[in-house]
């Protein structure tokens, strides 16, 4: 079945450091890919998404490119802020195969001032 | 293995009836659980935040009398869709926060999700 693998955390960075959170997936079809973020005490928020190969999703300085050849959707940000501290979830949705969202385990990011 | 169990994974009910979906944290106590719904071809939408021992906090636009949430214990939250209609057919997923339970790292765990079909 479909699955999402995500780098384990926690990840601790200093403010203004470069961030990469790796995500790879396994899917039988052509899924859409998502990054969700959950700030402390809050529910999930969609951060960005990409629906087909080579698409780049971007939002709030975060970017991720849908790489079909490597089945990856790595999240990047050039300069993190303390306010970016949260848990980040990579997910896929492959509705054509009757399966909905599959989430990665999440990566906790802590940004220190 | 799964640390959050959601049941049932699929359910079909008749229009006008009620259906209950359970979300259980299996090896930790969750003071906070979240309920999400996915609309066709769209991302997940947070419906409500379920707090043990108190009333759930609903997001704007979510009918609290239709989607009843009960978090009666530290390991169980239930979502009851009352007087279900075909437009309630959707994918519902819960997550539980294990913060403070010594599990370390990521503290949010998702259930497997529940497909609801109202006929």
């Amino acid at each position: 079945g479909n699955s999402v693998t995500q780098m384990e955390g926690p990840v601790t960075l200093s403010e203004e450091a470069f961030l990469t959170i790796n995500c790879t997936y396994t899917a039988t079809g052509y899924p859409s890919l998502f990054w969700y973020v959950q700030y402390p005490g809050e529910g999930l928020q969609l951060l960005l998404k990409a629906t087909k190969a080579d698409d780049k999703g971007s939002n709030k300085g975060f970017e991720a490119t849908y790489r079909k050849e490597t089945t990856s959707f790595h999240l990047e940000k050039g300069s993190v802020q303390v306010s970016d501290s949260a848990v980040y979830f990579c997910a896929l949705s492959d509705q054509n195969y009757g399966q909905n969202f599959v989430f990665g385990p999440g990566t906790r990011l802590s940004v220190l001032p | 293995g799964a640390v959050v169990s959601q049941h049932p994974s699929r359910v079909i009910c008749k229009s006008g009836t009620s259906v209950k979906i359970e979300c259980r944290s299996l090896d930790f106590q969750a003071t906070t659980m979240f309920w999400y719904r996915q609309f066709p071809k769209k991302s997940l939408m947070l419906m409500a935040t379920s707090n043990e021992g108190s009333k759930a906090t609903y997001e704007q636009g979510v009918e609290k009398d239709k989607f009843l949430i009960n978090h009666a214990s530290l390991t169980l939250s239930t979502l009851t869709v009352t007087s279900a209609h075909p437009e309630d057919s959707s994918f519902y997923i819960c997550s539980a926060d294990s913060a403070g339970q010594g599990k370390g790292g990521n503290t949010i765990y998702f259930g497997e999700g529940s497909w609801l079909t109202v006929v």
Side-chain angles (χ1 to χ4, degrees), chain B residues 9-29:
Chain B
S9 58
R10 292 183 182 274
V11 58
I12 300 173
C13 71
K14 291 184 177 180
S15 185
T17 63
S18 295
V19 61
K20 180 185 290 186
I21 301 171
E22 295 186 346
C23 180
R24 293 182 183 272
S25 55
L26 299 182
D27 63 351
F28 64 94
Q29 294 179 332

Side-chain angles (χ1 to χ4, degrees), chain B:
Chain B
V3 295
V4 173
S5 175
Q6 192 171 336
H7 177 80
S9 58
R10 292 183 182 274
V11 58
I12 300 173
C13 71
K14 291 184 177 180
S15 185
T17 63
S18 295
V19 61
K20 180 185 290 186
I21 301 171
E22 295 186 346
C23 180
R24 293 182 183 272
S25 55
L26 299 182
D27 63 351
F28 64 94
Q29 294 179 332
T31 56
T32 304
M33 291 185 175
F34 301 90
W35 286 97
Y36 300 84
R37 173 180 179 179
Q38 185 186 31
F39 291 94
K41 299 183 180 180
K42 293 188 178 180
S43 302
L44 289 176
M45 179 196 78
L46 176 65
M47 299 175 67
T49 302
S50 172
N51 301 298
E52 187 271 337
S54 65
K55 292 182 179 180
T57 303
Y58 289 83
E59 296 299 301
Q60 189 173 8
V62 178
E63 299 176 64
K64 60 182 180 182
D65 294 330
K66 179 169 185 61
F67 298 98
L68 300 179
I69 291 173
N70 186 357
H71 196 154
S73 78
L74 287 170
T75 59
L76 174 65
S77 177
T78 60
L79 168 67
T80 301
V81 182
T82 63
S83 186
H85 291 282
E87 58 265 31
D88 298 325
S89 299
S90 192
F91 181 72
Y92 295 86
I93 192 167
C94 70
S95 69
D97 190 343
S98 69
Q101 296 294 309
K103 296 190 74 66
N106 169 34
T107 61
I108 307 298
Y109 298 93
F110 285 92
E112 303 94 334
S114 301
W115 279 101
L116 169 63
T117 302
V118 184
V119 298

